[in-house]
Amino acid sequence: NAGVMQNPRHLVRRRGQEARLRCSPMKGHSHVYWYRQLPEEGLKFMVYLQKENIIDESGMPKERFSAEFPKEGPSILRIQQVVRGDSAAYFCASSQQTGYMNTEAFFGQGTRLTVV
Amino acid sequence: SQQGEEDPQALSIQEGENATMNCSYKTSINNLQWYRQNSGRGLVHLILIRSNEREKHSGRLRVTLDTSKKSSSLLITASRAADTASYFCATGIIQGAQKLVFGQGTRLTINP
């Protein structure tokens, strides 16, 4: 049973370009979470999705950032017109049940975005 | 401010010693989870303790939870060099939807 798969592992974009980060949850998991981590810091919640639904996007910037989790295929975190401040590691996690009541979240290895 | 805050921010001990890390939080929680992150890697789930539990063990790990003080501790006994990593506590809370809120982490260094 493969774990949470994120790709690419490393992504370099020039300012103004678009970045698309992909996350395939663990088999059987229908809940996906995206977090951002700056160097030497903890993880900041961005968005929580279920299949075809955004449940909580309170941590996601209102502009330039969007996320989706279609019925088929991976979850996508999309950052338009990237700026240097978007450089960070972006982690995806998935879980099986509703939220985190009594189950752990499994994390991917992350995508390290560098904006030059 | 952060929901979960770890203490200390950094800890350096000798191999074989015990390492204790603390986590404080502010709001009511469903559960509290500890994760480990090796440099440049993803997070590995260590242990989950529910809000109605007080102590939990897993191998060399011991986690306590005091909901009256809104705090938790992670004890690693007989530390090894391979335990060198950052350790994060994450609180499972309900803010509209359920999600994990992470602290800043404790950077643990085990010296051989």
Side-chain angles (χ1 to χ4, degrees), chain A residues 29-55:
Chain A
H29 288 191
S30 59
H31 303 264
V32 166
Y33 311 81
W34 284 94
Y35 290 83
R36 177 163 66 177
Q37 185 180 35
L38 295 171
E40 307 300 322
E41 293 191 9
L43 278 74
K44 296 286 196 304
F45 170 81
M46 297 182 73
V47 62
Y48 165 33
L49 309 106
Q50 295 178 19
K51 288 280 188 181
E52 301 183 280
N53 282 309
I54 296 175
I55 306 303

Side-chain angles (χ1 to χ4, degrees), chain A residues 35 37 40 100-102 112, chain B residues 31 40 50 98 100 107:
Chain A
Y35 290 83
Q37 185 180 35
E40 307 300 322
Y100 292 104
M101 286 293 286
N102 288 300
R112 278 145 194 84
Chain B
N31 59 66
R50 299 185 180 91
Q98 297 171 72
L100 277 179
R107 285 146 197 80

Side-chain angles (χ1 to χ4, degrees), chain B residues 17-66:
Chain B
E17 294 180 337
N18 296 340
T20 299
M21 289 159 273
N22 302 297
C23 170
S24 60
Y25 57 91
K26 294 181 172 62
T27 65
S28 296
I29 62 172
N30 295 319
N31 59 66
L32 188 144
Q33 306 184 36
W34 285 91
Y35 287 81
R36 182 185 72 212
Q37 183 181 37
N38 290 89
S39 180
R41 305 292 296 275
L43 277 76
V44 174
H45 184 268
L46 296 176
I47 199 163
L48 178 152
I49 186 165
R50 299 185 180 91
S51 57
N52 61 353
E53 296 176 316
R54 292 297 167 259
E55 188 171 310
K56 209 160 183 181
H57 297 255
S58 177
R60 294 184 294 113
L61 306 180
R62 173 177 168 255
V63 168
T64 62
L65 178 64
D66 187 336

